[in-house]
Amino acid sequence: MSAVVVEHDHHADDHHDHGPAKGLLRWIITTNHKDIGTLYLLFALAMFFVGGSMAMVIRAELFEPGLQFVDPAFFNSMTTMHALVMVFGAVMPAFVGLANWQIPLMIGAADMALPRMNNMSFWMLVAGVLLLASTLFMEGGAPNGGWTLYPPLVLQPITVGKALPFAVFSVHLLGISSIMGAINIIATIFNMRAPAMKLMDMPLFVWTWLITAFLLIAVMPVFAGAVTMLLTDKFFHTSFFNAAGGGDPVLYEHIFWFFGHPEVYIMILPTFGVASTIIPVFARKPLFGYASMVWATASIAFLSFIVWAHHMFTVGMPIAGELYFMYATMLIAVPTGVKVFNWTATMWKGAMTFETPMLFSIAFVVLFTMGGFTGLMMAIAPADFQYHDTYFIVAHFHYTLVPASVFILMAAGYFWLPKWTGHMYNEKIGQLHFWLSTISVNILFFPQHFLGLAGMPRRIPDYAVQFADWNMISSIGGFIFGASQLLFLYIVIDTIKGGTGEKVSDEVWEEASKHSLEWTLPSPVPYHTWTTPPAIVPTEHVLDSH
Amino acid sequence: MSTNTAYYIPHKATWPVIGTVGLVTMLAGFANYLNGSSIGPTLMVVGLVVFIVMLVGWFTLQAHESEAGMYSTQVGVSYRMGMMWFIFSEIIFFAVFFGTLWYTRNLSVPWLGEGATKELLHSTFEATWPTNGPGKLGGDFKPMGAWGLPFLNTLLLLSSGVTCTWAHHGLLAKNRDQLIKGLIATVSLGFLFVTFQAFEYHEAYTEMGLTLGSGVYGSTFFMLTGFHGFHVCVGAIILSVVLFRSWKGHFQPENHFAFEAAAWYWHFVDVVWLGLFVFVYLI
């Protein structure tokens, strides 16, 4: 394999230091995977707080029965926008940011395979989110028919006002961004990997992202197609979802969830990858069952395409369909169980230490498993008729997203920030952040299981008085959780500005370089790395399978 | 191959952000237009112009870099993977509309015409295909037959696939004359296809009563053929650029990614048409 040169394009001026451009322009025209990773991560963090503020509005309104602060339509806008902003603005971009930073470092590549397109992916994301956010300030407000945008509800003037075309085009832009990002990741992993690294040597984070990238390319166009049909039904007289013209609103649900189910795995598979990267380092053991982890990830990805209708058990499907989707869904527990057992076995008899990234990772294993179990409950079609569209589903998916994906994103921040910045974060504040988050996230979401089982429907600003106590407790948990995240913001800023002042070693974490390539580089990581690919790659993480 | 064996990583890129601004301006304009705002069309045009400037600028830059030998074999592999997975995403996009057609014909329309739905809601509705639904939306219409212009268009597109491959052989054999002639034929057949499709649409709207509003038949017919027609236009424009570059002397037997990408795209459009001909027109 040849060496790599970093050259100026024809617009570049003539400085030859190969460093970043000066001033603010650097961040607009950059093609460097580290710069773009930083942009993605900071954007995602900002959106995490925007989406989080919307959640605070929701919990404030639900603090007591009755209408307190906002009118019902705005409340529904908040639930819709909270979901869209968190999914498309925070969690997905945060993982793309991690992919940008880490994949080239971990596979010994000089940069992403298609650096200019990498820049475009990021700006398309910003454009899409801005288009979506602009609807908040429009006559009729932001979309308030739920993030699933079901017709005919979302086509009615009262639920969408002037927002529909903006929401649709926003989805198109976000789709283009995701597809370009995914293509880049696939090309990078296949074409830029150090020759010494075989596919089955790759860190699990790289594997899970490779599989996630295929999911993205396969389902983002599906969502784009679905919302395009919403647009034409609304403005161009088509009848895709209109029974009067021979169409069927249920078709939208099928198409949406054919996208939607893989979409939730797009948010969880990279989560698995980061957990599988962090846990072995702090257990000081190789990852247990590396090969089974890879195959379990691939199995989950495959199964995600054939289970979508478990989101619509109550829509009126033929009984054979209900049974098929019930059993297919339960099958997912098998590869997911493999993963949970592997993480546990990795920690078994390990020389464990409990720094903040490890704490978040352990909390992830426990709390994600709980979210998985409630998923299994709802996979049972007859039982789901009781749970459907109640706070039970809200509790379920928040357990799989907040103490899972979001916790692991925090863990990744604590784990890699010292490597990226060369500064150590404040461990005391990190641990405080962890304990506050973990306790409050359970106060926030656990009572929602009870509310759901008792029959409280989701997406309403008011509720019957028997739900009052648990809602108040949930809201208190929510406010503590929200406030605790300001600690994370503080830590990120503080670490970038110098942290504890302690000089971190290249390895940062004890013997981390046995697990993955990035720890063999200097801290902070230089602007350009692996211009010559490494000749040897660490194999600690794959010892079990060799 | 090219003179450079190193992997080329550009230092800065200005076109991506310009293109993004153009695209989002165009879409915001379109959304404003749909909402009846007067600023919409202006924004659309401005956005489109910026977007086209970006396309011209970015592709010119890439062409110059390619001809300057800045792309190694490994860079070429990245580009090919990029194009391959882009086309895959396009296939999925079309699959959504083919799936819609399948679901409608085989599930939702039959359901409308049977059992309690038929008895209680619309007893006169016969669930046959084509249909504009129980509400007879868009009024009476005639469905589009397969053996007139659509069949001619099938022959045109299939021949264009052949001429495209013939041009490729010319390129590989360093026969520039054959390359250019093959491309001229391909581009002409492509634009002829679009012209015939325009005639077909005109006839549908003016004489057959078949419009986008003709219930679910009109919706699926125009959505599938319309998006395909748009892709033919894009493919023909790409091939025109490739033709222009061939005429300028670009491309070598061992370095012609742009030609290959355009040819792949063209064959993809071709195959989608075969699917359309069978599932939309024929059965």
Side-chain angles (χ1 to χ4, degrees):
Chain A
M1 165 115 12
S2 52
V4 175
V5 285
V6 179
E7 289 185 51
H8 307 291
D9 70 22
H10 290 188
H11 295 281
D13 47 23
D14 58 357
H15 59 96
H16 290 282
D17 58 346
H18 292 181
K22 297 285 174 285
L24 215 55
L25 198 62
R26 162 184 174 181
W27 299 101
I28 294 171
I29 61 172
T30 182
T31 55
N32 181 286
H33 73 101
K34 301 176 185 82
D35 281 354
I36 294 174
T38 304
L39 285 170
Y40 264 108
L41 288 169
L42 293 178
F43 182 77
L45 189 61
M47 288 304 119
F48 177 64
F49 284 101
V50 171
S53 317
M54 293 170 177
M56 293 299 107
V57 173
I58 294 168
R59 282 325 312 174
E61 181 59 49
L62 294 175
F63 190 74
E64 284 179 339
L67 296 178
Q68 264 76 234
F69 303 106
V70 293
D71 70 59
F74 185 74
F75 179 89
N76 285 340
S77 283
M78 286 294 102
T79 57
T80 305
M81 292 293 278
H82 165 72
L84 291 170
V85 168
M86 285 302 201
V87 170
F88 295 104
V91 176
M92 286 170 70
F95 278 117
V96 180
L98 288 182
N100 260 296
W101 255 102
Q102 286 305 126
I103 289 176
L105 295 185
M106 287 174 140
I107 63 173
D111 207 304
M112 297 293 278
L114 303 158
R116 286 181 182 128
M117 196 169 79
N118 203 14
N119 175 294
M120 199 172 199
S121 306
F122 174 73
W123 290 111
M124 286 279 187
L125 164 75
V126 176
V129 171
L130 285 180
L131 214 51
L132 185 67
S134 70
T135 61
L136 281 166
F137 308 100
M138 274 168 204
E139 180 193 336
N144 56 11
W147 81 285
T148 51
L149 306 171
Y150 279 178
L153 185 64
V154 79
L155 300 180
Q156 292 163 0
I158 187 137
T159 47
V160 77
K162 293 194 177 296
L164 184 73
F166 291 92
V168 166
F169 295 143
S170 156
V171 168
H172 287 153
L173 288 173
L174 295 171
I176 295 170
S177 162
S178 292
I179 291 167
M180 290 197 300
I183 288 173
N184 222 333
I185 286 168
I186 291 172
T188 305
I189 295 174
F190 281 135
N191 195 34
M192 305 290 281
R193 210 169 63 248
M197 185 178 276
K198 297 188 208 58
L199 279 175
M200 286 307 264
D201 291 337
M202 297 195 310
L204 241 285
F205 177 72
V206 180
W207 257 116
T208 52
W209 242 117
L210 178 64
I211 292 165
T212 303
F214 286 119
L215 288 186
L216 275 169
I217 300 184
V219 301
M220 289 313 291
V222 176
F223 194 21
V227 295
T228 304
M229 288 189 271
L230 283 181
L231 189 82
T232 57
D233 266 18
K234 174 85 176 170
F235 293 103
F236 299 98
H237 317 295
T238 58
S239 310
F240 292 109
F241 310 129
N242 178 6
D248 185 359
V250 175
L251 171 62
Y252 178 85
E253 298 189 23
H254 281 293
I255 302 174
F256 179 85
W257 287 113
F258 187 83
F259 147 78
H261 201 74
E263 166 65 25
V264 300
Y265 291 176
I266 286 164
M267 293 188 283
I268 205 68
L269 293 182
T271 307
F272 293 167
V274 177
S276 307
T277 307
I278 293 177
I279 291 173
V281 171
F282 294 95
R284 290 165 181 78
K285 277 177 63 190
L287 180 69
F288 186 88
Y290 171 86
S292 71
M293 284 298 217
V294 172
W295 288 108
T297 310
S299 312
I300 294 173
F302 170 74
L303 289 172
S304 75
F305 285 106
I306 55 170
V307 297
W308 74 89
H310 66 218
H311 294 268
M312 30 194 295
F313 277 144
T314 58
V315 84
M317 269 186 292
I319 190 77
E322 305 259 339
L323 286 173
Y324 162 72
F325 283 109
M326 172 168 107
Y327 288 122
T329 303
M330 288 179 173
L331 209 54
I332 298 176
V334 178
T336 314
V338 167
K339 286 186 162 286
V340 172
F341 283 118
N342 281 347
W343 290 318
T344 315
T346 305
M347 288 186 269
W348 180 253
K349 292 189 173 175
M352 292 212 283
T353 50
F354 300 93
E355 287 87 346
T356 314
M358 184 60 163
L359 288 174
F360 272 108
S361 300
I362 295 172
F364 151 76
V365 175
V366 175
L367 297 175
F368 171 76
T369 304
M370 222 147 75
F373 278 137
T374 51
L376 211 48
M377 288 171 72
M378 280 178 300
I380 303 164
D384 182 71
F385 275 62
Q386 171 70 15
Y387 310 143
H388 190 90
D389 250 352
T390 67
Y391 260 83
F392 193 80
I393 180 75
V394 176
H396 157 71
F397 69 69
H398 279 98
Y399 261 94
T400 62
L401 275 173
V402 184
S405 296
V406 172
F407 268 31
I408 280 297
L409 285 168
M410 303 288 175
Y414 287 107
F415 188 55
W416 280 310
L417 260 179
K419 182 81 230 168
W420 298 337
T421 62
H423 308 306
M424 199 61 195
Y425 65 86
N426 186 321
E427 182 67 36
K428 278 211 177 86
I429 302 180
Q431 303 234 351
L432 179 68
H433 172 226
F434 166 76
W435 285 109
L436 280 173
S437 300
T438 305
I439 294 167
S440 61
V441 87
N442 284 292
I443 301 174
L444 164 59
F445 293 121
F446 208 81
Q448 295 182 2
H449 291 114
F450 310 144
L451 289 168
L453 290 175
M456 179 173 163
R458 64 192 288 206
R459 292 172 175 151
I460 51 149
D462 190 8
Y463 49 81
V465 284
Q466 73 262 31
F467 303 129
D469 292 350
W470 288 123
N471 263 305
M472 188 177 282
I473 291 170
S474 177
S475 287
I476 291 169
F479 300 144
I480 301 173
F481 184 79
S484 312
Q485 302 323 306
L486 296 173
L487 284 176
F488 185 68
L489 182 64
Y490 168 78
I491 286 174
V492 169
I493 295 170
D494 181 59
T495 310
I496 292 171
K497 290 172 82 174
T500 57
E502 182 191 340
K503 177 94 182 72
V504 298
S505 66
D506 291 354
E507 216 168 32
V508 183
W509 312 106
E510 193 179 63
E511 305 214 315
S513 60
K514 281 164 72 181
H515 293 269
S516 181
L517 274 176
E518 74 269 33
W519 310 107
T520 63
L521 293 164
S523 302
V525 188
Y527 196 60
H528 294 296
T529 41
W530 300 133
T531 42
T532 316
I536 336 166
V537 298
T539 48
E540 174 86 358
H541 57 294
V542 294
L543 277 185
D544 267 14
S545 56
H546 276 195
Chain B
M1 180 86 220
S2 51
T3 53
N4 215 329
T5 54
Y7 198 94
Y8 172 65
I9 295 171
H11 190 50
K12 303 166 179 173
T14 40
W15 291 117
V17 76
I18 294 172
T20 305
V21 169
L23 189 60
V24 75
T25 309
M26 186 162 69
L27 290 176
F30 191 27
N32 272 299
Y33 163 75
L34 291 174
N35 283 333
S37 153
S38 57
I39 191 157
T42 318
L43 278 179
M44 274 169 81
V45 172
V46 171
L48 183 66
V49 170
V50 174
F51 192 73
I52 290 172
V53 168
M54 178 278 290
L55 288 177
V56 173
W58 195 340
F59 281 106
T60 307
L61 172 66
Q62 297 277 141
H64 285 317
E65 287 178 353
S66 176
E67 289 306 308
M70 288 158 81
Y71 298 159
S72 62
T73 315
Q74 200 191 358
V75 175
V77 172
S78 289
Y79 286 159
R80 280 167 181 78
M81 283 185 180
M83 192 64 197
M84 194 170 85
W85 291 106
F86 166 66
I87 290 177
F88 178 76
S89 77
E90 290 265 62
I91 291 171
I92 300 282
F93 186 73
F94 274 99
V96 175
F97 298 107
F98 277 109
T100 298
L101 179 65
W102 179 87
Y103 179 94
T104 308
R105 285 186 65 166
N106 294 296
L107 297 175
S108 68
V109 168
W111 285 338
L112 282 173
E114 67 185 25
T117 316
K118 183 180 170 82
E119 256 168 59
L120 300 173
L121 291 177
H122 31 65
S123 50
T124 55
F125 176 61
E126 289 302 323
T128 51
W129 189 263
T131 181
N132 52 1
K136 299 198 183 307
L137 299 189
D140 289 337
F141 69 92
K142 279 195 287 183
M144 189 59 75
W147 299 110
L149 279 177
F151 182 64
L152 183 60
N153 265 348
T154 308
L155 297 179
L156 288 183
L157 265 200
L158 285 178
S159 332
S160 76
V162 175
T163 54
C164 185
T165 305
W166 187 64
H168 197 186
H169 283 295
L171 171 53
L172 292 177
K174 297 200 173 187
N175 184 342
R176 187 121 323 231
D177 189 49
Q178 182 179 332
L179 167 64
I180 290 174
K181 277 182 184 153
L183 279 173
I184 290 175
T186 312
V187 171
S188 315
L189 288 166
F191 282 118
L192 200 58
F193 173 95
V194 178
T195 314
F196 282 164
Q197 197 176 23
F199 280 125
E200 182 193 347
Y201 277 19
H202 182 74
E203 190 182 294
Y205 264 78
T206 54
E207 284 163 36
M208 300 165 70
L210 175 61
T211 70
L212 198 53
S214 299
V216 76
Y217 176 78
S219 308
T220 47
F221 175 81
F222 282 107
M223 196 68 130
L224 274 161
T225 56
F227 266 118
H228 177 265
F230 173 71
H231 280 76
V232 175
C233 291
V234 171
I237 292 169
I238 297 173
L239 282 169
S240 307
V241 174
V242 169
L243 169 61
F244 175 72
R245 287 185 59 189
S246 305
W247 173 69
K248 293 266 282 182
H250 290 197
F251 305 131
Q252 296 306 318
E254 66 285 348
N255 181 26
H256 56 272
F257 164 70
F259 182 97
E260 266 181 61
W264 290 354
Y265 193 82
W266 194 248
H267 289 310
F268 146 71
V269 169
D270 203 354
V271 170
V272 170
W273 174 259
L274 291 180
L276 287 180
F277 186 70
V278 174
F279 292 109
V280 176
Y281 292 98
L282 206 55
I283 59 175

